[in-house]
Amino acid sequence: MNAPTVPLAAIVLAGGRSRRMGSDKALVEFCGQRMIDRVTVTLGTLADPVVVVARRSSDVGGINGRVVEDARPYEGPLPALVAGLRATGEERNVVVACDMPFLKPPLLRGLGDLLDGTIDAVVPITGDGAQPLHAAYGDCAIEPLLSAIASGERSLKGALERLRVRWVPEVEWKPLDPDGRSFLNVNTPEELRHATELQAIG
């Protein structure tokens, strides 16, 4: 992951139902700030523009970035990802979920730097499997993603089968995030408490 640094945009997917959290995950407070603010401020250190795809722009007002409304809310991440890729206008994009409080800019930059015209997506692999919501996508992924949606595909992991993917194994990304904390997401109040404890111990 030592490719030259290139212009990079960032996309945050923030349109989920947050059923397990009981309230909008993007707006829950984490260490004194809204989760969405923590994520977008971090992304702003490495990417421009930062685009947030949400159900309604009013849901995440006042963020560090531009909000794009999801024309197909509650249909999973695929339509939201396409909306974000179209909105940035950049060839290279990093994509994350709105509930990832421990993002590491050097890791995200490394993923983005691996994109080129022959690769649609750069996706890390962890012990939990592929991580398509902490990954990098080229604008060349738009058409195959649209094709997947048109065929009835709803799973982002399923749609990856239609893309030219550069998989990034642990041996490559761990030097930039030894404990893999970047991939931690917060879906429940219990996970939020756990993340807060992790933040406290550093």
Side-chain angles (χ1 to χ4, degrees):
M1 297 179 67
N2 295 313
T5 297
V6 294
L8 193 64
I11 300 164
V12 184
L13 303 186
R17 293 179 185 270
S18 301
R19 285 174 174 149
R20 288 186 286 166
M21 181 63 74
S23 61
D24 192 333
K25 291 187 294 184
L27 305 182
V28 298
E29 184 172 311
F30 180 78
C31 298
Q33 64 185 150
R34 299 184 307 173
M35 187 71 74
I36 191 68
D37 294 325
R38 182 180 177 92
V39 170
T40 55
V41 168
T42 299
L43 292 173
T45 67
L46 75 146
D48 183 27
V50 176
V51 169
V52 176
V53 184
R55 294 184 303 275
R56 297 176 300 272
S57 58
S58 59
D59 289 345
V60 291
I63 62 161
N64 178 53
R66 178 161 60 97
V67 180
V68 172
E69 294 191 351
D70 188 350
R72 301 172 69 173
Y74 307 128
E75 291 190 20
L78 278 177
L81 173 55
V82 171
L85 290 172
R86 284 174 160 170
T88 69
E90 293 291 339
E91 292 183 8
R92 298 172 177 87
N93 307 267
V94 291
V95 177
V96 300
C98 68
D99 61 346
M100 295 179 135
F102 299 118
L103 298 173
K104 300 279 195 301
L107 174 53
L108 290 166
R109 166 59 68 183
L111 298 177
D113 283 349
L114 290 175
L115 284 169
D116 62 35
T118 67
I119 298 171
D120 299 317
V122 177
V123 181
I125 302 290
T126 72
D128 295 322
Q131 300 294 320
L133 290 183
H134 183 292
Y137 294 83
D139 61 352
C140 52
I142 293 174
E143 290 306 318
L145 289 173
L146 285 172
S147 176
I149 293 169
S151 72
E153 180 64 67
R154 294 180 63 87
S155 164
L156 180 50
K157 288 186 177 181
L160 290 179
E161 297 178 7
R162 298 171 181 258
L163 303 184
R164 299 168 295 175
V165 179
R166 163 66 154 89
W167 304 104
V168 181
E170 288 190 8
V171 68
E172 291 188 47
W173 60 256
K174 275 212 166 185
L176 297 174
D177 185 7
D179 62 5
R181 200 177 287 186
S182 293
F183 305 103
L184 185 148
N185 56 11
V186 177
N187 290 303
T188 68
E190 292 74 21
E191 290 174 351
L192 179 61
R193 284 192 291 273
H194 175 61
T196 302
E197 292 168 358
L198 288 175
Q199 177 68 11
I201 64 177

